[in-house]
Amino acid sequence: MAKIFRKIFILFIITLIAIPVWAQNGGVHGFIYDSSTGEPIAYAMTQLQGTNYGAMTEKSGSYMITKVPAGKYVLEISYMGFQTIIDTVVIENKMLSKNYTMKPENVMLEGVNVSAEAQQVLTETRTSVISVSTKDIKQMPSIGGTPDFAQYLQVLPGVVSTGDQGGQLYIRGGTPIQNMLLLDGMLIYNPFHSIGLFSVFDSDIIGSADVYTGGFGADFGGRISSVMDIRTRDGNRKRISGKVDLNTFGAKVLLEGPLVKMKESNAFSLGYILSAKGSYLEYSSKAFYPYVKDGLPYNYLDLYGKLSLTGKSGSKVNLFAFRFDDKVNYSEIATYRWRNYGVGTNFLIIPGRTAMIIEGTIGYTNYYTALDDKYNKPDMSGRTSDKDTNTRQSALNGFIANLHFSYYLGKSQLSFGVEFSGNTVRYVFYPTAWASSHTERIDYTTDVGLFVKYKYNWKDRIILEPSFRFQYYASLGKSSPEPRLSFKYNITPKVRLKFAGGLFSQNLVGATSDRDVVNLFTGFLSSPLQIPDTLPNGKEVMSSMQRAEHVIVGLEVDPIPHLSINIEGYYKHFSVLTSVNRYKMFDEDLDYMFETGDAYGGDITAEYSHKGLSIRLVYALGWVRRNDGHISYTPHFDRRHNINLLASYSFGKRRSWQIDLRWNFGTGFPYTQTQAYYPNLNITSYDSDYISANEELDFMLADYNKGRLPSYHRLDISVKKTFHIGDRHLIEVSAGATNLYNYRNVFYKDRITNKTIYQLPLLYSIGVNWQF
């Protein structure tokens, strides 16, 4: 296997050397910036007037118009809210480098934005992909005074959240460990805080966010369900600016500015962005929400910092670091906590006058999580156990390094790259609630991935994206060839068919406890050794590498102006899943077992946006099944129906008033019911005095996940008023409420005490922020 990998790697290097010669051509490339902040502008239109030569800027603000015959042309650059740029360029048989800065318009031109969005849906496959902007997030009800990425994720098709608390995210049948989340190319292992209204991300620093709910291209690997790719802004490189936010839930401070300003006279610019946000809800809830029994014991703190060095050519290097902490303490049931920190760098280079972009990332991430189950409970005689907690712990730390190359061939594009990652994984748990000793597992894993992807655009009518990934898991000594394909056929500019599918693999395993009705804790494992020889269907298997196959079909329709409808159907087959052996009774039993599974369904999204009114309706229908060789069952995140209605309306002078509303309905999750309680006499050795020993309360489980929790539904609303003070200062005052009609949604239930913790009750919020 190592020899095969070496041959593929050599072929990769040869291709890297040869393609620049093949791709040589004339054209113009560069970067588009906002003149007021120095930030790059994504999705601006660049077009050579009177020709079909044009391109849309990437998320980095770069544009690349290639395969242009030599001659004199007029270049037009346009984007919503900015003055159009007209410039004359002379193109020879080489790439011309030209950067531009766009000045903001005093009057917003909505039509230009519609044109840009229309061009994007015609030139990108966008199957099972949702792009999220800061504007989208700000149309969510600002619960706690601050709209958040976590709240917006929960309204996306195919995304299922466990509710207001716990912060578990499931995407079209995939568990949290099967969903890859990248922040500036760095791996994040828990995007939600325990209070599920908030994520670890500051929405004001998000530059772009793409959520791939399945069928993603070969440039992503190591996960079998979905990918979330989030990129932060580079910061204001013209002046110092920021935001201070105070509300009943928490506070935030954002500061950004230049250390070296972006000017024509400077060879480079250097900007910074710093963000700190946290919750004091454990303390403020006592004053604002005294009606909530036991208070709201949530604490979190998120820190993020970034330096961005940009050269005159537009090439740049970023340095960034983050730390996210979370803790919730249910005094009689459990304490749950986690932390995630990391440091890294990424870069973007356009070498010389070539039609190529080189990007790369190097970083380190560390994640730790623990759940303390409280078992200081009386036994049958009224006495308490000597051991008052069972602490489950898991830690994961590792590195990631990648290098991506993109060649632009007219409207087509060839991309390929290499990625290395390695992790150390630790998992500590107690096999039973009353066990006196713990079990500990430490694993090491190294992964290498090579990918190539070609995007072919035929007259903006057919977009074809075949791609291939070769993933090698060194700790397993196994490789995984993974062909993938996405496709779009524009029947008309208003009606578009699309498709995506492929093969996927991963090594990381998530371990959960069947004893929890609603699970908070997930332990991490990799490269399990004690595994069965066969799958549940009897097929022989040689490693614990998990595999999945995706097929997704979709239809996009724009029936009338300002209204778009997206319909998708999906099928994910999980041909190999590795999990902790829930049937283990004796030491000689295997620690792990194999499962197979299926996730299938469909969803429909309808969006209307015009003159300050925005409405989004999402309905999702889905089934998730698993088979472990003993039983066929539904996992605890199987939700049959999920409905989200989101509405936002801005009005008044300068649209300074805004009303936002969100309603969510979801049918109940499966869970394993408690069948009976009984006194258990725990004999630990042959000479135990069983006559005088005290019995302990224990329970028996009913059939696995045959019960269903009640349906979940919640209505959130907020009202905002913005006051403009001069040209650079804004003060925004907001008021809102979550769970407006105070429905009691089940969150967590302890089997020993039978105590139920509910999701959030009616909570009002008041907030004010100052932007400068």
Side-chain angles (χ1 to χ4, degrees):
M1 187 58 64
K3 292 182 178 179
I4 295 175
F5 180 77
R6 282 197 296 269
K7 291 179 180 179
I8 293 176
F9 189 76
I10 292 171
L11 179 62
F12 174 82
I13 297 299
I14 294 173
T15 304
L16 173 63
I17 296 171
I19 286 182
V21 178
W22 172 52
Q24 191 68 38
N25 59 88
V28 57
H29 68 195
F31 290 82
I32 311 298
Y33 299 103
D34 182 341
S35 64
S36 63
T37 64
E39 287 272 12
I41 298 177
Y43 306 122
M45 293 289 295
T46 63
Q47 185 76 32
L48 298 180
Q49 288 184 354
T51 75
N52 291 324
Y53 299 106
M56 185 176 294
T57 57
E58 304 283 351
K59 297 168 189 174
S60 61
S62 65
Y63 71 96
M64 191 85 63
I65 304 175
T66 63
K67 296 291 185 181
V68 181
K72 188 176 181 180
Y73 298 88
V74 175
L75 176 63
E76 179 179 337
I77 304 170
S78 59
Y79 187 67
M80 177 194 69
F82 290 85
Q83 297 176 15
T84 298
I85 294 175
I86 303 293
D87 188 28
T88 300
V89 296
V90 177
I91 295 177
E92 302 174 354
N93 191 29
K94 58 183 178 181
M95 294 300 295
L96 174 67
S97 181
K98 296 278 286 185
N99 295 341
Y100 297 93
T101 57
M102 302 188 74
K103 296 181 180 180
E105 282 274 18
N106 293 326
V107 179
M108 301 292 284
L109 301 178
E110 187 171 324
V112 177
N113 184 50
V114 172
S115 175
E117 291 180 352
Q119 184 66 20
Q120 186 180 5
V121 299
L122 290 174
T123 58
E124 299 181 8
T125 55
R126 310 300 294 174
T127 307
S128 196
V129 184
I130 304 103
S131 293
V132 181
S133 67
T134 301
K135 178 184 175 182
D136 295 327
I137 297 171
K138 289 183 178 179
Q139 291 178 344
M140 290 291 298
S142 54
I143 306 306
T146 304
D148 191 271
F149 183 66
Q151 301 166 27
Y152 192 81
L153 277 179
Q154 296 171 28
V155 307
L156 298 183
V159 176
V160 172
S161 172
T162 51
D164 318 334
Q165 306 177 72
Q168 298 291 344
L169 184 70
Y170 302 89
I171 300 180
R172 284 184 171 171
T175 62
I177 192 61
Q178 296 164 359
N179 304 325
M180 174 178 284
L181 197 149
L182 299 169
L183 176 63
D184 289 328
M186 292 284 295
L187 287 166
I188 304 295
Y189 292 98
N190 196 340
F192 283 171
H193 286 296
S194 297
I195 181 168
L197 301 174
F198 301 103
S199 70
V200 299
F201 312 112
D202 182 348
S203 300
D204 288 306
I205 69 172
I206 293 178
S208 66
D210 288 328
V211 181
Y212 300 79
T213 59
F216 44 91
D219 42 340
F220 299 106
R223 293 296 187 274
I224 60 174
S225 183
S226 66
V227 175
M228 283 186 285
D229 186 17
I230 299 170
R231 302 284 173 167
T232 60
R233 297 188 293 107
D234 293 337
N236 195 323
R237 284 172 287 180
K238 294 289 188 175
R239 66 177 181 88
I240 294 175
S241 61
K243 184 176 184 178
V244 178
D245 192 325
L246 294 172
N247 57 71
T248 52
F249 282 40
K252 180 179 81 173
V253 176
L254 170 64
L255 185 66
E256 57 185 297
L259 297 175
V260 178
K261 286 188 176 182
M262 177 180 281
K263 294 181 179 179
E264 283 291 332
S265 58
N266 291 338
F268 65 90
S269 65
L270 179 63
Y272 67 88
I273 188 164
L274 301 171
S275 171
K277 65 186 183 76
S279 169
Y280 38 68
L281 193 56
E282 182 175 13
Y283 309 102
S284 63
S285 63
K286 297 175 183 177
F288 294 108
Y289 316 113
Y291 55 87
V292 180
K293 186 179 180 181
D294 299 326
L296 296 170
Y298 302 99
N299 299 278
Y300 68 80
L301 178 64
D302 301 327
L303 305 174
Y304 180 87
K306 181 178 183 179
L307 284 173
S308 182
L309 175 67
T310 304
K312 209 159 192 176
S313 67
S315 298
K316 64 180 180 180
V317 177
N318 298 317
L319 299 174
F320 50 87
F322 63 85
R323 177 168 178 134
F324 310 133
D325 290 88
D326 185 276
K327 183 177 180 180
V328 57
N329 180 24
Y330 299 112
S331 58
E332 297 182 10
I333 294 180
T335 297
Y336 174 57
R337 62 191 184 277
W338 60 263
R339 68 170 183 268
N340 195 179
Y341 63 86
V343 61
T345 180
N346 57 34
F347 59 87
L348 183 149
I349 300 172
I350 298 183
R353 296 190 171 187
T354 66
M356 176 176 68
I357 292 179
I358 303 174
E359 299 176 90
T361 302
I362 302 173
Y364 170 82
T365 304
N366 183 288
Y367 178 76
Y368 170 82
T369 181
L371 180 72
D372 301 324
D373 288 319
K374 304 300 175 65
Y375 284 103
N376 191 14
K377 309 293 190 301
D379 59 24
M380 298 297 291
S381 65
R383 300 178 182 179
T384 59
S385 171
D386 292 333
K387 185 166 75 73
D388 60 358
T389 63
N390 272 334
T391 301
R392 285 176 267 168
Q393 304 175 63
S394 190
L396 189 153
N397 62 83
F399 72 92
I400 186 170
N402 57 54
L403 195 60
H404 292 183
F405 302 84
S406 297
Y407 291 94
Y408 292 80
L409 312 167
K411 290 190 175 183
S412 300
Q413 180 180 338
L414 176 65
S415 304
F416 55 92
V418 58
E419 182 176 279
F420 302 89
S421 63
N423 293 298
T424 300
V425 181
R426 178 173 175 260
Y427 179 40
V428 179
F429 66 99
Y430 288 82
T432 66
W434 291 90
S436 58
S437 62
H438 66 266
T439 298
E440 181 175 1
R441 175 69 189 269
I442 299 178
D443 296 323
Y444 305 92
T445 179
T446 302
D447 305 340
V448 182
L450 300 173
F451 81 89
V452 59
K453 180 169 73 172
Y454 180 65
K455 176 184 176 181
Y456 175 72
N457 184 327
W458 184 72
K459 298 182 179 180
D460 287 344
R461 192 69 179 266
I462 295 177
I463 314 297
L464 188 65
E465 283 191 18
S467 61
F468 181 83
R469 187 177 186 92
F470 182 85
Q471 189 81 8
Y472 179 66
Y473 299 98
S475 56
L476 298 176
K478 299 293 181 181
S479 63
S480 176
E482 299 170 6
R484 303 174 191 176
L485 175 68
S486 61
F487 168 85
K488 175 174 278 187
Y489 174 49
N490 298 316
I491 301 172
T492 72
K494 303 295 184 182
V495 181
R496 304 171 293 275
L497 289 173
K498 54 186 180 178
F499 165 88
L503 307 182
F504 307 85
S505 68
Q506 78 173 65
N507 193 15
L508 281 179
V509 178
T512 59
S513 172
D514 294 339
R515 302 177 70 88
D516 301 328
V517 174
V518 177
N519 189 270
L520 288 170
F521 175 85
T522 298
F524 295 102
L525 299 161
S526 68
S527 309
L529 298 177
Q530 296 188 35
I531 57 175
D533 297 325
T534 61
L535 291 171
N537 58 13
K539 183 179 179 180
E540 185 177 358
V541 65
M542 301 303 295
S543 75
S544 59
M545 180 172 59
Q546 301 177 94
R547 297 180 181 274
E549 302 82 42
H550 299 182
V551 174
I552 302 164
V553 294
L555 175 66
E556 298 173 348
V557 181
D558 304 326
I560 59 174
H562 316 297
L563 175 65
S564 62
I565 298 174
N566 183 69
I567 304 170
E568 289 187 355
Y570 66 91
Y571 174 69
K572 293 182 181 179
H573 176 59
F574 301 97
S575 51
V576 181
L577 294 172
T578 307
S579 62
V580 175
N581 184 5
R582 66 174 62 92
Y583 304 104
K584 182 180 175 73
M585 296 182 64
F586 306 105
D587 291 340
E588 58 269 23
D589 291 341
L590 297 175
D591 289 334
Y592 308 98
M593 65 180 184
F594 286 127
E595 296 184 336
T596 60
D598 298 286
Y600 52 93
D603 45 61
I604 180 170
T605 303
E607 294 184 74
Y608 177 85
S609 182
H610 184 55
K611 292 185 177 179
L613 176 63
S614 178
I615 300 174
R616 172 192 283 249
L617 176 63
V618 181
Y619 169 71
L621 173 67
W623 290 264
V624 185
R625 300 290 302 177
R626 296 283 190 269
N627 188 318
D628 63 14
H630 299 275
I631 59 172
S632 178
Y633 69 95
T634 55
H636 68 274
F637 51 89
D638 173 52
R639 171 165 278 173
R640 191 70 64 246
H641 304 278
N642 199 32
I643 302 172
N644 275 284
L645 174 63
L646 179 65
S648 177
Y649 181 57
S650 56
F651 59 95
K653 186 177 181 181
R654 302 177 73 173
R655 294 183 179 174
S656 60
W657 285 93
Q658 182 172 319
I659 300 175
D660 303 307
L661 178 146
R662 181 234 177 168
W663 182 71
N664 172 228
F665 172 86
T667 51
F669 293 116
Y671 78 103
T672 303
Q673 297 164 301
T674 302
Q675 183 160 301
Y677 292 93
Y678 66 93
N680 180 33
L681 187 59
N682 189 13
I683 304 299
T684 58
S685 65
Y686 73 93
D687 59 350
S688 296
D689 186 357
Y690 60 88
I691 296 177
S692 60
N694 295 316
E695 295 174 326
E696 299 166 348
L697 181 65
D698 210 336
F699 57 84
M700 294 178 61
L701 297 176
D703 291 339
Y704 190 64
N705 278 358
K706 291 294 186 181
R708 286 272 175 177
L709 293 173
S711 294
Y712 173 96
H713 48 95
R714 190 184 87 202
L715 176 65
D716 302 336
I717 190 170
S718 70
V719 179
K720 307 171 191 174
K721 170 64 177 175
T722 302
F723 300 91
H724 296 265
I725 305 174
D727 294 331
R728 294 185 174 180
H729 295 266
L730 296 176
I731 292 179
E732 183 182 88
V733 179
S734 64
T738 182
N739 197 5
L740 187 62
Y741 49 77
N742 201 28
Y743 188 75
R744 287 164 65 91
N745 294 298
V746 174
F747 166 51
Y748 181 90
K749 191 168 185 177
D750 184 272
R751 296 192 186 277
I752 297 295
T753 64
N754 207 33
K755 183 173 181 178
T756 300
I757 299 295
Y758 291 97
Q759 304 278 11
L760 296 179
L762 167 64
L763 297 178
Y764 65 89
S765 60
I766 301 171
V768 59
N769 68 68
W770 167 44
Q771 303 173 46
F772 57 92

